[in-house]
Amino acid sequence: MDCLFSFLYRKTDFFVSLNSSTDQVGFPPGVAEKIVFSAFKKYESLALRNLKRKLAEKSKLCQSAVKPEDEVTEIDHTEEVIADKVMASVDVAGSETPVAVKDNGAEIETSLQTDTSCTKSPTRSEGQETSESTAAAKEQTSRLISTERKNTDKGSDKSKSSADAGDDDDDCDPELARLQKIFQANPESYNGAIRDTYSWSQSITDVDVRVKVPKHIMKGKDVTVEIGRKHLKVSCKAVEGHVVTVVDGDLTWECHKDECVWSLVPGEHVHVNLEKVEERWWDALLTDESKINVRKIDPSRPMTDLDDEAQAKIEEMMYNEHQKRLGRPQSHENKVHAMLEKAWDAEGSPFKGQPFDPSKINVSSGGMM
């Protein structure tokens, strides 16, 4: 704040007051102070509003982390049912009654054992025995609830582990892995796949489709290609003269149909280039074909896909790495050396008259000495 007001004092007329009607610059008395105060109140209100928003977001996160109320109610209701069934099995006189409690398909058999053959002690009252039976029933109920919770947790853990195992099986399928290697080894199906009537490959920005055509297809007028935002259809003329549809299906993701082009390689295939709307890897060309494992493809991007600035930065990094291996100065060191060489013999330089020696100067990677 001191720097800000110092600047206003030294470089502006902010603190000049209009004391008479002939003054040309400055503010009427008290106006400059009101301007500062209004700016302070403006940003103070913004800060308070931002603080309230952060507190509200934090409160929502805390509420979402709490277990849903219906789940808690369901657990509590289950515990009450088990407790009621066990308590109903207790004979006030202390008899032994086996109970079968069913909960979530699992049957839990309990037996509240009391010694009925023994004679009641003369020092005990009937009310004391009843309270002891009730305490035993509550203890048994707690054990049942604890056991049921453990079984439920184990069931959920098993389901999660089985789902994970299913994913691992998909990744480790030897047939899929074998086909993926074949696809990656073929330039026409690189990062894509080979199908019965076509093959496709892809980069992060576009897809190349090669649709097979009969050998008698030699001219573009014998082929019909329809490209939609999310649909592809390729047809050609048969020898008999009727039109045969070779490919007709919905694309997995959208493409820029106005930017897509196609060409005919006579007697071989129709080459269709699709420009993707989103930069993402497709796991299939059409929605009705088998999917590939995008985690097994080559995700690297060629330098030509990058902008000029990114390419220049990569080339500079490659040059610096090469110079570092040869023990030569890197690009940032060359820049510093060029600046120092100009100032080496300048007036007032302690090195004036001496030959320039870059080895005496240690330049860090950030260009600092």
Side-chain angles (χ1 to χ4, degrees):
M1 294 301 296
D2 183 76
C3 293
L4 175 62
F5 285 109
S6 174
F7 172 80
L8 295 175
Y9 167 71
R10 290 180 289 105
K11 300 292 185 179
T12 70
D13 299 324
F14 188 79
F15 292 102
V16 177
S17 297
L18 292 173
N19 296 321
S20 65
S21 59
T22 58
D23 292 338
Q24 298 293 325
V25 295
F27 292 106
V31 172
E33 184 178 357
K34 289 181 180 179
I35 293 174
V36 173
F37 183 73
S38 78
F40 171 79
K41 297 300 293 183
K42 173 185 175 182
Y43 288 99
E44 182 186 32
S45 62
L46 289 176
L48 291 174
R49 192 183 312 164
N50 190 35
L51 178 61
K52 289 181 180 179
R53 180 178 59 81
K54 289 183 177 179
L55 291 176
E57 291 177 354
K58 188 175 181 181
S59 177
K60 288 182 180 179
L61 289 175
C62 293
Q63 290 176 1
S64 63
V66 177
K67 187 178 292 185
E69 184 178 354
D70 55 351
E71 185 177 349
V72 176
T73 305
E74 183 180 351
I75 293 175
D76 293 342
H77 179 68
T78 303
E79 294 178 358
E80 290 175 1
V81 170
I82 296 175
D84 291 343
K85 289 183 179 181
V86 174
M87 291 297 295
S89 68
V90 179
D91 188 2
V92 177
S95 61
E96 178 180 348
T97 306
V99 182
V101 181
K102 291 185 178 179
D103 182 42
N104 295 330
E107 184 172 344
I108 308 169
E109 185 174 349
T110 65
S111 178
L112 301 178
Q113 298 179 356
T114 56
D115 191 359
T116 58
S117 60
C118 297
T119 308
K120 295 181 180 180
S121 173
T123 59
R124 290 187 177 185
S125 65
E126 187 175 351
Q128 289 176 333
E129 291 180 356
T130 302
S131 61
E132 289 180 1
S133 300
T134 304
K138 289 183 178 180
E139 183 179 356
Q140 185 71 9
T141 302
S142 300
R143 287 200 297 269
L144 289 174
I145 293 171
S146 177
T147 303
E148 185 62 23
R149 280 180 174 174
K150 289 180 180 179
N151 292 335
T152 304
D153 294 340
K154 287 181 181 178
S156 61
D157 292 340
K158 286 182 180 179
S159 61
K160 288 181 181 179
S161 61
S162 62
D164 295 339
D167 294 339
D168 294 339
D169 291 341
D170 292 340
D171 293 341
C172 300
D173 189 344
E175 182 63 19
L176 287 177
R178 185 185 68 83
L179 289 175
Q180 196 82 33
K181 288 182 180 179
I182 296 175
F183 298 157
Q184 291 298 103
N186 190 338
E188 294 185 357
S189 60
Y190 192 71
N191 289 346
I194 300 174
R195 304 306 178 197
D196 294 336
T197 57
Y198 63 92
S199 62
W200 64 281
S201 61
Q202 65 174 322
S203 66
I204 193 65
T205 57
D206 59 2
V207 179
D208 288 304
V209 187
R210 292 171 175 83
V211 182
K212 300 176 184 177
V213 295
K215 292 184 178 180
H216 68 273
I217 303 296
M218 304 299 292
K219 296 182 179 180
K221 65 180 181 179
D222 298 330
V223 178
T224 303
V225 179
E226 300 177 13
I227 303 174
R229 187 171 179 83
K230 205 176 179 183
H231 192 83
L232 175 64
K233 182 179 180 180
V234 179
S235 306
C236 64
K237 286 185 179 180
V239 179
E240 295 80 6
H242 62 277
V243 178
V244 178
T245 301
V246 185
V247 173
D248 187 7
D250 293 329
L251 299 173
T252 307
W253 300 97
E254 295 182 349
C255 66
H256 293 290
K257 64 177 184 178
D258 296 333
E259 303 296 331
C260 299
V261 295
W262 67 272
S263 61
L264 172 66
V265 179
E268 294 185 10
H269 62 262
V270 175
H271 184 189
V272 183
N273 178 262
L274 307 175
E275 183 173 326
K276 298 178 180 179
V277 172
E278 300 180 28
E279 290 191 359
R280 64 182 305 155
W281 296 106
W282 293 13
D283 55 5
L285 175 67
L286 304 179
T287 55
D288 58 354
E289 74 170 79
S290 302
K291 295 182 179 181
I292 64 172
N293 189 348
V294 293
R295 287 179 288 183
K296 300 295 183 181
I297 66 175
D298 178 17
S300 60
R301 301 178 62 173
M303 283 186 58
T304 53
D305 289 351
L306 304 175
D307 55 31
D308 295 340
E309 183 178 356
Q311 291 187 39
K313 188 63 177 177
I314 293 175
E315 289 175 358
E316 181 183 358
M317 293 171 62
M318 295 172 63
Y319 170 79
N320 288 340
E321 183 64 24
H322 178 70
Q323 292 291 96
K324 185 177 180 180
R325 290 178 180 177
L326 297 178
R328 298 174 182 173
Q330 302 177 34
S331 58
H332 63 280
E333 295 174 329
N334 288 333
K335 292 178 182 178
V336 175
H337 290 166
M339 293 173 59
L340 291 176
E341 189 173 6
K342 291 181 180 179
W344 194 266
D345 285 330
E347 190 67 30
S349 171
F351 304 104
K352 188 175 182 180
Q354 301 180 19
F356 178 69
D357 187 5
S359 62
K360 295 182 179 180
I361 304 168
N362 184 19
V363 182
S364 65
S365 59
M368 302 296 292
M369 294 184 293

